[in-house]
Structure formats: structure tokens, C-alpha cells
């Protein structure tokens, strides 16, 4: 009995080490999203390219990506070709132009191509606030019922798409048919 | 002994008191207009307790990230709307998750965080108490009760101790 008790500190040490070692692998910038599983927030904001007011009513009843972008966001430049590619593959993407200047944003789409079905202009960041956006770029996967299913903070590239989005996207697409 | 304990307690309390005074000083460098003085106090309390979701380990008071500015403005608006601290926190947590609470609620995910330290202290106390107690008992056994020897052991003892049987 006493001899076994001698090993207690060793066991405690190993358990603590494993716990801390596992903690090293976690990316502290990757926050849990409070809105996964919730409905997309209600909003009424202008369109970037047309004279109209947008709301959740304008979302197609299909699986969509909502991409938060801005011209001041450097990583969005890197991300843009990937969005173009996804749009070419038939993925519906809605843009959320976050705290940006409208004219510059319009120019950006002219220069780099427009992968978006439409763009919501959120100059004050109010919709961004309701979505729990902490910066740009961010991408949300919304199902056909308008429920947020996945969130990506940071650049969406091919690796992230394959790892975190593709399976879920295909599954949701199958469900909605 | 008692005095040492008291001194230790005071020493433990000093850093926390000091911290509070300092963070209040940092926060007061910002200019925020309120209709009532009491709202201002609650505002400072809240922005010290809430964590910036964009920056690692800074509270809202300390952070100059755009998102913190938005959150501070929202807190100010909600305070003026006579919302309670609890409502404000819930409003922010529903968007930015529990990550932003520096003092998390007690729930399924956080009970270990809250109660583990108390358990560890109690466990440590138990170990110390047991060590101390068993040490005292074995001391008492040794000093008060001389070991009981059998007849054979007595004979051998007197043999060993008897100088007349020594053979040089």
C-alpha cells in the first residue's frame, strides 16, 4: 500500500504534463463561436452595388457562405482568389463589407472579381457585432434554414475548406435537396 | 505562529488590493460621458471584467482594438438604457461566447475551474493533518510505551549486556 502511494506524485506529474502538453497544440486565437447552431441575426442594411435594403429575407433558401471582408484587411487580398474559385464551383457566397468605405469596396470588386451573390454594407459594424465578428476575414456557413453551422476566423484557403467546410457543406447540400 | 499566519494573510491580500487601484487608474484615463455617476462606476467595473475577444489576455479597459471600442460603446449604450450588469454580460456572451468573461459563470464547463483550487487546498490540508497526526502518534508510542519483550528476547538482551560474559 505504502509503496503504491509513493508513485502518486509521479502519476500526478505525468497527468499534469499531458494536460499542459495538449494545451500547447491549441491555437488560442481560435475562439468558440457562440452563434453556431443559432439563426443568422436579423438585420436591415444597404446593398453595396445596388440601391436597395437587404435583410435575411434576401438570403436564398440554400446553403450559403457569409464572408466578412474589407478593403483595409490585408488577409482578405490573399483570400479573394479562393472565394472566386469557390463561386466558380457553384458555392453561394454572400459578402459582408465590414466597416469599410463603399467606394473603395466597389472598386475592389471591379479589380478582383465579384464572387458574391450580393454584398451587405455594414459600415458601423452593427451586424458584425450581432454575429460576434472580431475582425476580417471571417467566414460563416449557413444552412438552407438560415442556421449558422460553421465559423472560420481568418483566411479561408483550400486547406481550411477541405478540413473544416467541405464535408459539412456537401452534407448540408444533400439535406437541402 | 499565529502572528506569522496573520502576516502571510496580509501579504497575500496586498497584491490584489494594489491591482484594483492600478486598473482603476488606467481606466480613468478614458473620457466617457454618463448621465449618472453610478453608471460610470459600473462601466469601469464591466470593462475591467470583460475580455477583448480579438487580443489575447487584455481586458476591454486595456485594449485599443476596434472591436473593444465597439463593445465599450455598446456597454455604455446599454447602461444608459438602464440594463443590468447581468443583461449586458448576457448580451455580449451570446455573441462572443464565454471567452470574454474573466470571471466565468459557474456551469458545466467551468465547475472544475471554480472548485478545483478549494479541493486541492482541502486535500493538501488533509495530507498535512494526517502526516502531523500519525507523526505525533508514533512519537507517543515510542516515548510512553516501552517495547514489550518476550522471555527469549529478555534472556538474549541480558546476555548481550552482561559484562561478566565478555571474552577478550
Amino acid at each position: 500500500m505504502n509503496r503504491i502511494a509513493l508513485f502518486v506524485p509521479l502519476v500526478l506529474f505525468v497527468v499534469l504534463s499531458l494536460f499542459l502538453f495538449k494545451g500547447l497544440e491549441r491555437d488560442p486565437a481560435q475562439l468558440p463561436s457562440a452563434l453556431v447552431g443559432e439563426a443568422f441575426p436579423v438585420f436591415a442594411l444597404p446593398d453595396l452595388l445596388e440601391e436597395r435594403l437587404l435583410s435575411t429575407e434576401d438570403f436564398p433558401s440554400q446553403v450559403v457562405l457569409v464572408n466578412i471582408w474589407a478593403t483595409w484587411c490585408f488577409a482578405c487580398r490573399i483570400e479573394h482568389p479562393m472565394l472566386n474559385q469557390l463561386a466558380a464551383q457553384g458555392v453561394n457566397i454572400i459578402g459582408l463589407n465590414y466597416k469599410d468605405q463603399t467606394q473603395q469596396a466597389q472598386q475592389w470588386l471591379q479589380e478582383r472579381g465579384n464572387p458574391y451573390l450580393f454584398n451587405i454594407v455594414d459600415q458601423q459594424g452593427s451586424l458584425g457585432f450581432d454575429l460576434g465578428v472580431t475582425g476580417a476575414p471571417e467566414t460563416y456557413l449557413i444552412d438552407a434554414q438560415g442556421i449558422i453551422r460553421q465559423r472560420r476566423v481568418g483566411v479561408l484557403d483550400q486547406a481550411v475548406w477541405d478540413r473544416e467546410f467541405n464535408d459539412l457543406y456537401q452534407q448540408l447540400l444533400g439535406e437541402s435537396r | 505562529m499565529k502572528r506569522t499566519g496573520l502576516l502571510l494573510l496580509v501579504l497575500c491580500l496586498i497584491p490584489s488590493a494594489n491591482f484594483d487601484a492600478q486598473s482603476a487608474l488606467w481606466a480613468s484615463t478614458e473620457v466617457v460621458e454618463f448621465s449618472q455617476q453610478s453608471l460610470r462606476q459600473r462601466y469601469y467595473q464591466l470593462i475591467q471584467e470583460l475580455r477583448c475577444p480579438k487580443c489575447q489576455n487584455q481586458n476591454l479597459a486595456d485594449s485599443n482594438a476596434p472591436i473593444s471600442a465597439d463593445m465599450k460603446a455598446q456597454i455604455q449604450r446599454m447602461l444608459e438604457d438602464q440594463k443590468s450588469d447581468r443583461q449586458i454580460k448576457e448580451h455580449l456572451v451570446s455573441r462572443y461566447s464565454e471567452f470574454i468573461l474573466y470571471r466565468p459563470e459557474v456551469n458545466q464547463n467551468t465547475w472544475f475551474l471554480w472548485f478545483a483550487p478549494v479541493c486541492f487546498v482541502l486535500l493538501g490540508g488533509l495530507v498535512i493533518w494526517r502526516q502531523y497526526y500519525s507523526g505525533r502518534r508514533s512519537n507517543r508510542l515510542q516515548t510512553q510505551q516501552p517495547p514489550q519483550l518476550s522471555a527469549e528476547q529478555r534472556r538474549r538482551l541480558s546476555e548481550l549486556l552482561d559484562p561478566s560474559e565478555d571474552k577478550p
Side-chain angles (χ1 to χ4, degrees):
Chain A
M1 175 59 209
N2 254 339
R3 284 188 73 82
I4 296 172
L6 287 177
F7 287 97
V8 168
L10 179 71
V11 171
L12 281 178
F13 173 75
V14 170
V15 167
L16 188 70
S17 307
L18 282 175
F19 180 71
L20 294 175
F21 187 74
K22 229 176 136 38
L24 281 178
E25 290 170 7
R26 295 188 49 195
D27 179 6
Q30 208 62 38
L31 298 192
S33 173
L35 272 105
V36 169
E38 303 281 326
F40 196 88
V42 176
F43 69 96
L45 289 167
D47 189 311
L48 181 65
L49 300 175
E50 291 172 45
E51 282 276 326
R52 61 167 178 165
L53 212 58
L54 293 166
S55 72
T56 38
E57 307 270 298
D58 294 294
F59 279 40
S61 7
Q62 292 167 25
V63 185
V64 289
L65 288 183
V66 174
N67 177 247
I68 285 83
W69 65 281
T71 55
W72 47 259
C73 145
F74 186 77
C76 298
R77 278 159 220 258
I78 299 164
E79 191 185 48
H80 205 78
M82 176 66 193
L83 298 176
N84 283 333
Q85 190 192 322
L86 283 172
Q89 288 168 15
V91 179
N92 294 313
I93 310 174
I94 293 167
L96 177 64
N97 189 227
Y98 182 61
K99 293 193 181 176
D100 205 354
Q101 290 181 358
T102 301
Q103 219 166 3
Q104 283 180 12
Q106 287 165 343
Q107 204 183 338
W108 163 291
L109 290 181
Q110 264 175 14
E111 284 169 10
R112 288 162 212 270
N114 184 356
Y116 305 109
L117 294 179
F118 53 81
N119 278 279
I120 307 159
V121 177
D122 189 11
Q123 220 151 32
Q124 305 301 316
S126 61
L127 176 56
F129 187 85
D130 284 343
L131 262 174
V133 169
T134 57
E138 281 189 27
T139 305
Y140 294 78
L141 179 60
I142 321 287
D143 70 14
Q145 283 75 46
I147 309 291
I148 299 169
R149 301 298 291 264
Q150 178 70 285
R151 176 197 192 194
R152 166 72 188 173
V153 178
V155 173
L156 177 72
D157 54 19
Q158 190 67 49
V160 172
W161 176 260
D162 290 344
R163 198 173 60 230
E164 295 174 18
F165 280 82
N166 197 21
D167 288 349
L168 187 60
Y169 178 76
Q170 298 299 343
Q171 182 202 328
L172 292 175
L173 214 57
E175 279 172 21
S176 69
R177 277 197 187 123
Chain B
M1 183 65 204
K2 254 186 182 167
R3 193 171 285 182
T4 325
L6 194 69
L7 188 69
L8 272 176
L9 186 73
V10 170
L11 280 174
C12 287
L13 288 174
I14 283 174
S16 61
N18 201 12
F19 173 77
D20 274 345
Q22 270 183 1
S23 43
L25 261 178
W26 295 330
S28 63
T29 53
E30 281 171 59
V31 184
V32 191
E33 299 285 333
F34 281 101
S35 56
Q36 294 164 37
Q37 197 59 31
S38 65
L39 292 182
R40 180 185 301 278
Q41 271 167 11
R42 281 171 57 207
Y43 174 78
Y44 287 140
Q45 180 74 31
L46 280 168
I47 64 173
Q48 274 169 45
E49 253 180 53
L50 294 171
R51 181 180 185 181
C52 162
K54 187 69 183 169
C55 15
Q56 296 299 315
N57 257 342
Q58 271 188 314
N59 57 15
L60 292 183
D62 225 6
S63 160
N64 53 6
I67 185 67
S68 312
D70 284 2
M71 287 169 78
K72 280 186 273 195
Q74 180 71 18
I75 292 171
Q76 187 189 0
R77 265 198 302 277
M78 291 186 77
L79 281 170
E80 291 288 356
D81 287 346
Q82 305 300 322
K83 296 280 197 301
S84 73
D85 288 2
R86 202 184 169 77
Q87 280 171 315
I88 294 172
K89 280 187 194 170
E90 273 169 12
H91 182 82
L92 293 172
V93 165
S94 71
R95 287 159 177 76
Y96 291 97
S97 81
E98 283 200 334
F99 175 86
I100 61 160
L101 295 179
Y102 264 129
R103 204 191 315 173
E105 304 275 316
V106 181
N107 63 27
Q108 215 180 335
N109 294 326
T110 58
W111 64 267
F112 187 75
L113 193 68
W114 276 101
F115 298 115
V118 181
C119 291
F120 285 137
V121 167
L122 287 178
L123 205 71
L126 194 74
V127 168
I128 291 170
W129 181 73
R130 274 199 54 171
Q131 291 277 346
Y132 182 64
Y133 184 73
S134 66
R136 256 203 353 195
R137 196 171 53 183
S138 61
N139 270 345
R140 206 167 50 219
L141 280 176
Q142 273 163 14
T143 51
Q144 293 181 350
Q145 295 171 332
Q148 301 284 316
L149 298 177
S150 67
E152 170 65 16
Q153 282 171 322
R154 269 175 211 284
R155 196 187 56 75
R156 181 142 170 70
L157 185 66
S158 58
E159 220 175 75
L160 286 168
L161 292 176
D162 193 353
S164 66
E165 286 196 14
D166 274 1
K167 284 166 190 163

